[in-house]
Amino acid sequence: MAEAYIIDAVRTPRSIGKMGKGALSTMHPEHLSAAVLAAIKERNNLNTADVDDVIWGVSAGMGLQAGDIGRNAALDAGYDVKAGGVTMNRFCGSSITTTNFAAAMIMSGMHDVAISGGMDMMSYVGYYGAKMREAGLGGGGMGSGNPRLQAKHPQSNQGVCADAIAAMEGITRADLEAMGAESQRRAALAIKEGRFDKSTITVKDDAGNVVLDHEEYPRPETTAEGLSQLKPAFEMFLDMPSAPEGKTFRQLINQVYPDVDIKPIHHVGISSGVVDGAAAILLTSKEYAEKHGLKPRARIVAMAEIGDCPTLMLNAPVPAAKKVLAKAGLTKDDIDVWEVNEAFAVVVEKFIRDLDLDRTKVNPNGGSIALGHPIAGTGAILIGTALDELERTGGRYGLITMCAAGGMAPAIIIERIDG
């Protein structure tokens, strides 16, 4: 089987995901995606006629985010018309999966050059969803709106799922707030030391003016004491009907787990931040890299996708990590950097406990609690973050995974190429 190499990884800074408040909120989603695709092209002097496909992830495919953004953003970024583009959706896990797909095509010998990545503009998603609700057209929701599926596999609100898992695992609010404060501390240190600089681009408008050149979301002044004063964010959803005349979100979980007593504890300080952002990764075959003088930064070691309980929704990262380790023939002790999306603090806390991991190796530069979670863009961001950290520390292997709606998780292991 051919090798798939990571040549480069870029991402935008993340801005507040609220229309009119975040610096990126006025951009068209295709323009934001084009910003990272243009950076990949320019940084690597890439002949875009050689790009077999741009495999792009978008979770909230609505309004301006609907359609094939992978193709349109490539054209907007000045790519040759020969470069194909496709857009897919695995919710939060989208751009780990797009990277897995791109790597698989190269390893099969069918592609020589592929670009993976993704984006979501949560400011636009919130705005568009609100307009749809005002018009009585729905506009987003939680769980599944399919009554037949809900009878078979009830799916609840993700925040309620996070609270249910904490109750089932005996994980306290104080445990999670310690993690939230640590995520902020680590992110602040990483920003101060420039650990994200290699991969983070400056977003500019058509006139060349800077739109955003820094992370907007972090709150470095955060303390565990301050977090303890925040009100649980998902209490309002517990007894809210999931659909007209439907069961409440609490009832959907209790339908499968009747004994769990859900206590609301997750809040904004221990949940992922709502932001806008995009990221892209350039992958090539060994032969293409050598022929065109491209210096590989990492190789793809193994990939996996897995499903788990759709009712609890957030527990698939542990089995995904075990599956990808087995495929790679590695153990947890071989992994130098773990990047696990901080969708909710309980996801990472359970992950660390279940696998008995060294906490210093898990999200060493903070995560989505501090930096924000642009949904389909986050996976590619995490892959780039892991690669940057391996290069900074001299580590060899990084494992990246994250939960996705529907009870899924993709995973990937990369190996730094020395020199």
Side-chain angles (χ1 to χ4, degrees):
M1 186 179 295
E3 296 275 23
Y5 285 158
I6 293 178
I7 304 300
D8 201 6
V10 303
R11 59 185 178 271
T12 67
R14 282 148 283 191
S15 73
I16 302 297
K18 187 174 182 179
M19 190 63 71
K21 186 174 182 181
L24 301 177
S25 66
T26 58
M27 295 188 71
H28 193 292
E30 291 175 3
H31 297 172
L32 186 61
S33 298
V36 288
L37 292 177
I40 280 282
K41 175 186 69 173
E42 292 159 7
R43 284 165 48 131
N44 298 282
N45 194 28
L46 182 65
N47 179 359
T48 58
D50 292 342
V51 175
D52 293 294
D53 215 354
V54 175
I55 307 176
W56 209 243
V58 176
S59 177
M62 56 175 67
L64 297 178
Q65 288 198 173
D68 189 354
I69 288 186
R71 171 62 170 174
N72 290 339
L75 294 173
D76 190 33
Y79 279 40
D80 193 285
V81 296
K82 293 179 181 178
V86 65
T87 301
M88 54 79 62
N89 181 0
R90 198 190 293 275
F91 306 111
C92 299
S94 294
S95 57
I96 293 181
T97 295
T98 61
T99 304
N100 289 354
F101 285 0
M105 292 299 292
I106 291 170
M107 294 165 78
S108 73
M110 296 297 104
H111 285 356
D112 291 307
V113 183
I115 297 172
S116 66
M119 61 77 61
D120 268 294
M121 291 188 61
M122 300 311 294
S123 58
Y124 174 73
V125 172
Y127 170 82
Y128 186 82
K131 292 298 182 184
M132 287 184 70
R133 288 190 292 273
E134 288 173 9
L137 300 174
M142 294 156 282
S144 169
N146 178 350
R148 187 170 68 186
L149 177 58
Q150 288 288 44
K152 296 176 181 177
H153 296 290
Q155 297 177 41
S156 184
N157 169 276
Q158 285 196 352
V160 175
C161 292
D163 288 338
I165 293 167
M168 295 170 74
E169 297 291 329
I171 297 173
T172 68
R173 174 169 166 158
D175 293 332
L176 302 180
E177 288 174 343
M179 174 169 286
E182 181 64 6
S183 180
Q184 294 283 358
R185 187 195 70 79
R186 292 182 182 189
L189 179 62
I191 291 169
K192 180 180 179 181
E193 294 187 351
R195 298 183 190 179
F196 301 141
D197 290 356
K198 184 173 184 178
S199 295
T200 305
I201 66 167
T202 296
V203 180
K204 297 181 179 180
D205 63 19
D206 291 342
N209 300 309
V210 173
V211 176
L212 185 65
D213 62 0
H214 65 280
E215 301 284 353
E216 282 189 339
Y217 193 79
R219 298 292 182 268
E221 71 281 2
T222 300
T223 64
E225 181 181 1
L227 293 176
S228 70
Q229 306 303 310
L230 296 178
K231 182 180 179 181
F234 304 100
E235 185 172 11
M236 69 180 74
F237 296 118
L238 262 177
D239 297 307
M240 177 187 293
S242 60
E245 301 180 2
K247 292 184 177 180
T248 68
F249 290 114
R250 184 202 302 270
Q251 289 171 333
L252 288 170
I253 291 177
N254 287 151
Q255 181 177 325
V256 180
Y257 300 94
D259 297 329
V260 62
D261 183 15
I262 305 170
K263 302 292 186 185
I265 58 174
H266 279 83
H267 52 68
V268 64
I270 51 176
S271 304
S272 55
V274 178
V275 298
D276 299 336
I281 298 173
L282 172 62
L283 301 100
T284 75
S285 64
K286 179 180 180 180
E287 292 74 19
Y288 186 91
E290 290 175 347
K291 182 178 179 180
H292 293 85
L294 297 173
K295 182 180 177 182
R297 297 175 62 190
R299 75 176 185 94
I300 307 300
V301 178
M303 304 165 287
E305 313 281 348
I306 203 166
D308 198 74
C309 173
T311 299
L312 292 178
M313 204 173 300
L314 310 175
N315 281 343
V318 170
K322 291 179 178 178
K323 183 176 181 179
V324 78
L325 284 169
K327 286 185 175 294
L330 300 173
T331 72
K332 67 176 185 178
D333 295 329
D334 294 311
I335 304 301
D336 300 295
V337 176
W338 302 78
E339 285 290 334
V340 186
N341 187 41
E342 294 173 352
F344 301 93
V346 75
V347 175
V348 182
E349 183 65 25
K350 176 175 165 54
F351 189 89
I352 291 171
R353 294 185 185 194
D354 285 0
L355 295 177
D356 190 23
L357 299 180
D358 179 348
R359 289 179 180 271
T360 64
K361 294 183 178 182
V362 182
N363 301 347
N365 296 306
S368 291
I369 289 173
L371 295 159
H373 176 25
I375 314 299
T378 300
I381 291 175
L382 296 183
I383 293 170
T385 298
L387 177 53
D388 287 344
E389 182 66 6
L390 290 172
E391 291 177 340
R392 186 183 76 85
T393 61
R396 183 176 181 182
Y397 293 113
L399 190 155
I400 304 96
T401 188
M402 61 198 303
C403 59
M408 299 181 287
I412 186 171
I413 294 175
I414 63 173
E415 179 182 18
R416 178 181 65 88
I417 295 177
D418 193 9

